[in-house]
Amino acid sequence: MTSTERTASRRTVLTALAAAATVGGPILSQLATAAPAVAAAADDPVEYPSNTALYKDTNLVEGTSYSRRYRRHQQFDLKMGEKYDFPRTAVLALHGGGIEIGTSELCLGIAGYSPGDSAGAPVLPTVHDYFMFEGLLSSGNRALHVTSKNCDDHVALSTAASHLNVLSLHGCQFDQLKLPTSAFPSTGNRAVAVVGGLNPEFRTALVTEIRNAGFQAVDAFDSRYSATLADFNGSHVTNPCNLTMLRKGAQLELTTELRESLFGDSSSRSARAATWNQSDGRFEGFRDACRRAIATVEAGQPIL
């Protein structure tokens, strides 16, 4: 199949999925018995080469197929003889919604907001800027995935460029990581956070705080794991987590089991938004661990 044919097949699937989001179940049941060519396209690894290409696809409608949400906090320094704090850290979820479940809600939580409040009221005294791209399709949101190094969303890039630090949240599958079975047996605890990005201080703070909170975490650059975690280490220079003012940042790759464990019910966007605070404190524990890591890094970045 040529690249043109793959793109056409993908768009056929996206068109059908968009219709399903509007008219409901019958179309989805038809997709389940569709012709083999369309079924194969649903698993096609070919993805959009950039956010710009995705946004230009007329088969997709913002607000129905996908959404973008962000918050930039306005601050002033109007006094000549005094200095004021400024936003030093932003949180990103580039594959939120149904693409990599749980990353949108965790992005909001780490930024200091309630994932269940559509009005976006803060629930913590310190807040951070954030950006999220979210898949809204009833199924097949994988087709909306854009590899981080190819992200060219203007707000996402400007958010990263205007901060000293970025924490970017992603989802992965445990088996993809190929962690040594001596330390991570496949039948054991598969809830793991892989910490990447080019900022070693940020990585260390995240690994320390996440482990102290009772979760499993590994540094993707640790020599014990680096050989198998090269694709999950967030090291690419055009990855938005590294497009900060310091040209380095941090990234979390969270296994499905970890993300699902942070909610009372992780089965849908609405369920996650309603049950983020019903996981016996796991969501809050992971959220606060990340926030402590951010505070540790920021403490070493005084306002001059």
Side-chain angles (χ1 to χ4, degrees):
M1 182 181 289
T2 67
S3 59
T4 301
E5 290 169 335
R6 286 196 297 268
T7 301
S9 297
R10 179 186 61 197
R11 290 182 175 176
T12 299
V13 173
L14 286 171
T15 302
L17 289 171
T22 303
V23 303
I27 296 296
L28 291 178
S29 63
Q30 293 169 27
L31 281 175
T33 57
V38 175
D43 295 326
D44 196 328
V46 175
E47 62 178 39
Y48 290 96
S50 65
N51 289 77
T52 297
L54 186 152
Y55 301 153
K56 288 182 177 179
D57 190 336
T58 56
N59 292 298
L60 302 176
V61 179
E62 185 161 9
T64 301
S65 308
Y66 65 89
S67 69
R68 290 176 281 181
R69 288 191 282 167
Y70 69 91
R71 185 178 295 240
R72 305 288 294 272
H73 298 87
Q74 192 173 37
Q75 292 180 292
F76 299 93
D77 182 353
L78 302 178
K79 296 184 179 180
M80 291 189 229
E82 298 181 22
K83 60 183 179 182
Y84 294 84
D85 202 356
F86 60 91
R88 282 174 280 178
T89 303
V91 189
L92 307 182
L94 302 178
H95 308 135
I99 305 172
E100 294 169 355
I101 67 164
T103 56
S104 294
E105 294 80 11
L106 196 55
C107 177
L108 288 169
I110 295 172
Y113 294 88
S114 166
D117 183 359
S118 60
V123 294
L124 296 172
T126 302
V127 293
H128 301 288
D129 293 352
Y130 64 80
F131 170 89
M132 300 182 292
F133 174 87
E134 301 173 281
L136 303 181
L137 298 172
S138 57
S139 64
N141 283 282
R142 178 187 170 196
L144 303 176
H145 183 280
V146 175
T147 299
S148 296
K149 67 181 182 180
N150 295 332
C151 175
D152 63 350
D153 182 283
H154 293 176
V155 178
L157 296 183
S158 66
T159 299
S162 60
H163 290 76
L164 294 174
N165 316 298
V166 159
L167 177 57
S168 188
L169 306 172
H170 298 270
C172 64
Q173 298 177 26
F174 178 84
D175 292 335
Q176 291 178 299
L177 303 176
K178 296 181 173 57
L179 293 167
T181 55
S182 57
F184 297 92
S186 59
T187 56
N189 183 357
R190 296 165 64 92
V192 182
V194 174
V195 185
L198 294 178
N199 188 328
E201 294 80 17
F202 205 169
R203 292 200 315 269
T204 297
L206 284 164
V207 170
T208 299
E209 294 295 347
I210 291 172
R211 287 178 177 172
N212 288 344
F215 299 89
Q216 296 185 108
V218 299
D219 187 329
F221 290 84
D222 187 318
S223 59
R224 293 172 294 176
Y225 315 115
S226 57
T228 62
L229 295 179
D231 290 337
F232 302 91
N233 64 16
S235 64
H236 202 281
V237 293
T238 62
N239 184 324
C241 81
N242 297 318
L243 293 178
T244 66
M245 295 169 67
L246 301 175
R247 286 297 184 263
K248 59 183 180 179
Q251 172 180 293
L252 292 180
E253 287 278 3
L254 311 174
T255 63
T256 303
E257 290 82 3
L258 175 53
R259 286 174 284 129
E260 290 179 343
S261 75
L262 302 180
F263 305 91
D265 182 354
S266 63
S267 62
S268 67
R269 293 177 66 249
S270 59
R272 292 190 294 274
T275 65
W276 66 271
N277 56 356
Q278 298 174 25
S279 61
D280 295 327
R282 285 182 62 83
F283 183 96
E284 295 93 331
F286 195 90
R287 173 198 69 186
D288 293 347
C290 294
R291 287 174 60 85
R292 286 192 297 272
I294 290 172
T296 296
V297 172
E298 288 188 348
Q301 299 168 332
I303 303 171
L304 303 178

